[in-house]
Amino acid sequence: MSKINISIVGAGYVGLVTGACLSTHNNTNIKIIDTDKEKIKIINNKKSPFYEPELDSILQKHVGKNLKATTRFTSISSANIVFICVGTPQNPDGSTNLSFIKNAASSIGTALQNNTLHCTIVVKSTVPPKTTENIIIPIILSESRKLKSELSFIMNPEFLREGRAIEDFMNPDRIIIGTNKNSDKKVLENLYNSLDMIPYLYVKLSEAEMIKYASNAFLATKISLSNEIGNICKKLNINSNIVMTGVGLDNRIGQMFLKPGVGFGGSCFQKDILALIDTAKKHGENPLILQSVLDTNIAQPTRIILLLEHLIGNVKDKKITILGLAFKNDTDDIRESRSIPVIRELLNKGAIISAYDPMAMNNMKEQFPHIQYCDTPEEALKNSDGCLVMTEWNEFYKLNKEFNVMKNKIIIEGRKILSYKGAKGICW
Ligand code: UGA
C-alpha cells in the first residue's frame, strides 16, 4: 500500500499530537513544520517541547522513521494532505490574531506550486466562522496559482484537552468534517479509519468553525454556572460538589465540567469566548451569557483571596503557600492559570509567596521570578500562615501531615482534591 504523505504546519499541542498520533498508523509519512528552530530540534531528538502524557513515548518510536520535524515547507510539494495547526492568539481587543494563519496559508500556497497531486488542506486551528472560506482558501489559491477544483479544503476542528490529548485524539466523541464540496468528505475518514466506531458529522466549512467555538463556550458556561451555584451554596453552607453531582446525574445535563472552583484557565476557553463575542458584536449581536461566563471566571480568584483574608486577616507580610501553578493537572502549561491573578493580587497586598507544583514551576518562574519555589509541598508549607490549593494534582489528594509544619493551619481549596479534612473550600 502506498504511503500517505502528510505535512502538518504548527508544532503546538494540536499539531504535534496530531502528527504523533497519525504516525502510529503504518501507512503514513509525516513531516511536522514549524518556524521555531529550537522546537524542531527537540522533536527531532524524540522529545516533546511541552509535557503531555504518552507523547514522548510515541515520539521515541516514530521520530526518524515515519515522523520528522523541519522548518522547511518543501515536503508540501509531495503531500497528499496538509494540516494547518498554527495558533490563533487573541489581539488586545479580544479579536483573533490571524497573522500565523495567513503566513501559514501563504507558505503552503507557495509550496503547493510544485505539487502535482490533488492535495487536501485541512484546517485544524480554531478560526472564526468564515475564515477558511474568506481568508485561508483565497490566499492558498492565489499563492499556489491553482484552481479551486485542483485542491480540497476541509475544516476539522480538534477537541483534545491538554493533559489527556493523546487519549482524546485516539478516542474522540465525534469527528466534525466541514467541507463545501461533497467529493472532499471521505479523505479524512480514510485517514482516521483506524479510530473505531466514531460518529462523523459532515457540515459546511463555517458550521465546523462554529461548532468548535460553540463547544468551548458551552463547556466554559457549564463551569461558570457551576461556580455561580457554588458561590450561592457557600453562603448557605451547602456543599456545592454534592449539589453538582446530583445535578449531573440528569442525562440531559451530564456529569462533566460541573466542578465548581476557582475558575477555568488554559489557552482556549477565554480566548475563544472573546473571539466569539467579537464576532457577534461585529454582526450587531450582544451575547450577554458569554460575557457573564467570563465575568464570573475573572471574579473567582478574588473570592479565594477574600476567603483567605476573612480567615487570617490582612495578608501583608504573611507567608502564603500556593499549591499548584499549572492551569490544571497533568500539564506544565500555566496559560491563564488561575494561580496567576491570585499570586499577583497577593503580592500587591504585600504577602510573601511560597509555591509548589510538580511540573509548572519553571514556566511560572518566567512570570514571577521572585517568589519562593520549593521542591516539595512540605517545604513550601513550612511556617506558612495560609495555603491555597489551586490545581487538582492527584498527588495533593494524600497531603495530610505535611500541613503540620504550617504556622497557622488555614487551608483553602480552589479545586476539590484534598482528602485532608481540615480544609475549607472556595465553594463548599
Ligand atoms: C479545552 C476543551 O476541553 C477541549 O475540548 C478543547 O479542544 C481545548 O480547550 C481547545 O480548544 O484547545 P483544555 O483547555 O486543554 O481543553 O482543558 P480543560 O480540561 O477543558 O480544562 C479547562 C479549565 O477548566 C481548567 O482550568 C480546569 O481546571 C477547569 N475546569 C474544568 C473546571 O474548573 N471545572 C470543571 O468541571 C472542568
Side-chain angles (χ1 to χ4, degrees):
M1 194 164 59
S2 66
K3 295 238 176 198
I4 308 174
N5 288 332
I6 299 171
S7 295
I8 296 178
V9 182
Y13 280 90
V14 173
L16 188 53
V17 168
T18 301
C21 290
L22 292 178
S23 75
T24 64
H25 303 192
N26 51 18
N27 63 337
T28 56
N29 180 17
I30 295 170
K31 293 279 188 310
I32 297 188
I33 303 166
D34 200 290
T35 49
D36 184 335
K37 287 190 184 125
E38 194 48 37
K39 243 187 207 177
I40 295 302
K41 209 164 125 195
I42 297 171
I43 298 168
N44 282 332
N45 281 329
K46 307 187 178 192
K47 292 227 162 64
S48 168
F50 46 83
Y51 174 75
E52 184 61 44
E54 298 175 54
L55 185 53
D56 272 354
S57 75
I58 300 181
L59 296 178
Q60 299 270 324
K61 269 197 209 143
H62 293 276
V63 169
K65 292 178 184 148
N66 63 336
L67 178 62
K68 284 186 188 122
T70 170
T71 54
R72 304 178 60 189
F73 283 75
T74 40
S75 63
I76 289 176
S77 58
S78 56
N80 303 98
I81 303 177
V82 179
F83 283 94
I84 302 182
C85 301
V86 296
T88 49
Q90 76 197 45
N91 288 317
D93 66 356
S95 62
T96 307
N97 178 344
L98 292 174
S99 58
F100 297 120
I101 281 281
K102 289 179 182 169
N103 289 342
S106 164
S107 304
I108 291 166
T110 309
L112 280 172
Q113 283 177 14
N114 302 321
N115 189 327
T116 51
L117 306 165
H118 183 101
C119 183
T120 300
I121 292 96
V122 183
V123 179
K124 266 198 175 290
S125 302
T126 302
V127 289
K130 310 278 181 187
T131 303
T132 305
E133 179 92 77
N134 294 344
I135 296 175
I136 299 174
I137 296 178
I139 294 177
I140 292 180
L141 291 179
S142 120
E143 293 296 330
S144 64
R145 298 184 210 134
K146 285 185 189 280
L147 299 171
K148 224 175 182 174
S149 56
E150 294 176 88
L151 298 167
S152 294
F153 293 96
I154 291 176
M155 204 286 148
N156 169 228
E158 186 50 65
F159 301 103
L160 55 81
R161 288 163 287 179
E162 288 179 26
R164 41 189 308 153
I166 304 286
E167 199 185 322
D168 282 349
F169 188 93
M170 298 291 202
N171 304 293
D173 288 344
R174 78 297 205 191
I175 293 180
I176 305 294
I177 309 274
T179 168
N180 289 355
K181 224 171 25 171
N182 260 338
S183 54
D184 295 346
K185 279 183 178 171
K186 295 288 166 187
V187 180
L188 285 188
E189 207 168 308
N190 293 337
L191 184 67
Y192 294 152
N193 66 2
S194 61
L195 302 172
D196 301 329
M197 305 302 295
I198 293 148
Y200 280 76
L201 183 70
Y202 297 101
V203 296
K204 297 219 165 72
L205 289 168
S206 55
E207 289 164 345
E209 292 165 330
M210 195 58 162
I211 286 170
K212 171 69 187 192
Y213 280 103
S215 300
N216 274 358
F218 197 87
L219 291 168
T221 304
K222 282 183 97 173
I223 299 171
S224 275
L225 182 69
S226 306
N227 289 341
E228 203 159 302
I229 300 284
N231 295 338
I232 302 168
C233 285
K234 181 78 183 170
K235 289 276 161 66
L236 297 170
N237 203 17
I238 293 171
N239 187 332
S240 59
N241 292 301
I242 294 172
V243 170
M244 295 320 286
T245 302
V247 171
L249 285 170
D250 185 326
N251 277 337
R252 294 169 303 172
I253 297 172
Q255 295 277 4
M256 298 187 80
F257 283 70
L258 293 184
K259 284 198 212 101
V262 74
F264 55 79
S267 61
C268 301
F269 284 168
Q270 178 174 302
K271 166 182 84 77
D272 292 351
I273 293 175
L274 282 169
L276 193 51
I277 292 174
D278 176 69
T279 304
K281 288 199 167 156
K282 281 178 179 149
H283 291 83
E285 287 299 317
N286 186 20
L288 300 176
I289 293 178
L290 295 180
Q291 192 53 57
S292 305
V293 167
L294 292 182
D295 292 346
T296 301
N297 200 55
I298 289 165
Q300 286 308 95
T302 307
R303 280 180 173 266
I304 201 167
I305 293 174
L306 286 175
L307 182 55
L308 178 70
E309 289 175 325
H310 174 72
L311 295 170
I312 69 169
N314 194 334
V315 295
K316 186 163 183 340
D317 297 328
K318 299 247 170 72
K319 178 172 172 180
I320 308 299
T321 301
I322 307 291
L323 292 184
L325 301 171
F327 85 91
K328 65 171 185 181
N329 58 319
D330 292 336
T331 180
D332 58 1
D333 194 345
I334 60 158
R335 285 176 292 174
E336 300 299 335
S337 167
R338 299 297 77 198
S339 305
I340 295 173
V342 165
I343 294 173
R344 192 180 297 127
E345 201 170 326
L346 286 171
L347 288 175
N348 284 343
K349 287 173 181 270
I352 300 152
I353 307 287
S354 62
Y356 168 78
D357 187 286
M359 249 161 211
M361 291 200 286
N362 280 341
N363 286 337
M364 199 56 101
K365 276 179 194 164
E366 288 172 23
Q367 186 96 21
F368 296 110
H370 301 304
I371 64 173
Q372 186 197 359
Y373 293 93
C374 303
D375 291 335
T376 61
E378 196 163 10
E379 190 189 331
L381 289 162
K382 205 161 186 190
N383 292 326
S384 180
D385 295 282
C387 165
L388 303 180
V389 180
M390 297 296 296
T391 312
E392 57 275 43
W393 283 105
N394 277 341
E395 69 171 73
F396 295 160
Y397 175 79
K398 56 180 186 336
L399 290 180
N400 197 324
K401 61 176 180 15
E402 288 81 353
F403 294 118
N404 291 341
V405 299
M406 294 177 75
K407 195 197 283 176
N408 195 359
K409 268 207 217 173
I410 300 294
I411 299 137
I412 306 174
E413 284 178 284
R415 312 246 180 234
K416 183 77 205 104
I417 185 68
L418 300 177
S419 55
Y420 176 73
K421 292 284 180 281
K424 302 244 183 282
I426 180 175
C427 301
W428 52 93

